[in-house]
Amino acid sequence: MDSGRPIGIFDSGLGGLTVQKEILRLLPHESTIYFGDNGRAPYGTKSRETIIRFATQIVRFLQVHQVKMIVIACNTASAFAYDAVRGMAGVPVIEVVTPGAEAAMGATRTGNVGIIGTTGTIRSQVYERAIRRVDSRSVMITAKACPLFVGLAEEGWWDHPITRLTAAEYLKPLQEAGIDTLVLGCTHYPLLGNVIQSVMGESVTLINSGDAVAHVVKGRLESLGLLNPGQGKVTHQYFTSDSTDQFKRLGSIFLEQPIESATHVNIEQFSAEWPDDSNGQSEAEQT
Ligand code: DGL
């Protein structure tokens, strides 16, 4: 495969840009195609079947752009659709849950860990399984769904009184549990990092898996001989299923660099047929 091809990255909306940012930082010679499914967000309250259908369509779209790798920059889609995506992508697929779980286990001193995420991610218990897979120590885990955080992040209310009130309410059980490490198990949440940190206090380490995911991407490209040697022109293209104006405006802040142009995609035109071998079954369901 041609190492000059772009990396495909997707999320339900803008949250995946927190992963994209780390990929751009670590891999400046790589081109990317980012798709934000803003028109169908949030994913976190939707069923497994719906998320697999959405992810399948997005993979078809990324295949048209001949990506060399796909990064599922969304915890909910990683929890529900990783196996389906892997079964059909035809290129390596990176999910965000395992790198986050590994980072959390590297950071915790007490083994008392918290996880926050969307309703779908928390219900799937994908993090609990990943943590137990990466570390056999006995770990105490407190998980809490924080569905309103996604809307607050997409609205740009990253340090707003409503966000502070919402965080104080959501994070109570985690404070009470005395955790020392908190996994931001949704790629939107790093945007609310300051508010979450101030509610939890400085002694709690927040885990944003973006950096860990970028290292996994680099390692996999390296091992497959697909790292871009950096001779060609580097391009970053942005696509969304909703308003391009809103995407560019807020996306530029998420990414901490200007998004000059974004293109609207009618994602429903892509086939939602499930791959034969996945049977719609995903890792989250295989307990
Ligand atoms: N950013 C996504 C995640 O990491 C999904 C948020 C949503 O659309 O509910 O789970």
Side-chain angles (χ1 to χ4, degrees), residues 11-16 40-45 73-77 96 117-119 121 147 150 154 184-189:
D11 177 47
S12 65
L14 298 166
R40 303 190 295 189
Y43 277 13
T45 48
C74 170
N75 290 262
T76 314
V96 291
T118 65
T119 307
T121 300
V150 173
E154 290 269 328
L184 306 181
C186 171
T187 52
H188 282 72
Y189 295 0

Side-chain angles (χ1 to χ4, degrees), residues 123-136:
R123 274 206 194 129
S124 76
Q125 300 195 336
V126 69
Y127 268 100
E128 284 86 338
R129 286 199 297 285
I131 285 175
R132 302 221 152 90
R133 219 172 32 237
V134 301
D135 199 316
S136 57

Side-chain angles (χ1 to χ4, degrees), residues 50-253:
T50 300
I51 300 304
I52 291 178
R53 186 166 71 78
F54 289 176
T56 301
Q57 292 176 312
I58 297 167
V59 171
R60 300 275 181 237
F61 165 75
L62 293 173
Q63 283 169 334
V64 170
H65 287 272
Q66 303 199 311
V67 297
K68 63 180 175 183
M69 170 180 273
I70 292 177
V71 180
I72 309 178
C74 170
N75 290 262
T76 314
S78 295
F80 288 146
Y82 174 55
D83 284 355
V85 168
R86 210 173 36 164
M88 67 180 287
V91 292
V93 178
I94 306 293
E95 49 86 32
V96 291
V97 172
T98 311
E102 282 169 352
M105 295 320 292
T108 184
R109 300 170 307 278
T110 60
N112 190 353
V113 172
I115 300 157
I116 53 175
T118 65
T119 307
T121 300
I122 296 303
R123 274 206 194 129
S124 76
Q125 300 195 336
V126 69
Y127 268 100
E128 284 86 338
R129 286 199 297 285
I131 285 175
R132 302 221 152 90
R133 219 172 32 237
V134 301
D135 199 316
S136 57
R137 273 181 293 170
S138 97
V139 183
M140 164 123 163
I141 301 172
T142 308
K144 178 83 174 87
C146 306
L148 295 177
F149 278 176
V150 173
L152 294 167
E154 290 269 328
E155 194 62 37
W157 289 6
W158 303 331
D159 193 5
H160 188 281
I162 291 180
T163 307
R164 283 194 288 270
L165 274 176
T166 310
E169 188 62 34
Y170 274 150
L171 300 174
K172 258 185 215 157
L174 298 142
Q175 290 170 314
E176 283 162 15
I179 60 164
D180 78 337
T181 301
L182 178 61
V183 180
L184 306 181
C186 171
T187 52
H188 282 72
Y189 295 0
L191 272 303
L192 310 182
N194 288 341
V195 169
I196 295 171
Q197 188 81 69
S198 74
V199 171
M200 291 308 297
E202 289 303 322
S203 63
V204 173
T205 307
L206 300 191
I207 303 293
N208 162 9
S209 58
D211 179 51
V213 171
H215 280 90
V216 172
V217 168
K218 183 174 183 212
R220 188 75 81 84
L221 289 175
E222 242 161 17
S223 70
L224 294 168
L226 285 176
L227 261 188
N228 193 329
Q231 277 132 14
K233 187 170 179 292
V234 175
T235 60
H236 303 295
Q237 289 176 267
Y238 297 92
F239 297 88
T240 173
S241 54
D242 201 14
S243 148
T244 53
D245 284 346
Q246 167 99 339
F247 185 92
K248 283 189 289 187
R249 190 172 60 79
L250 285 179
S252 302
I253 309 175

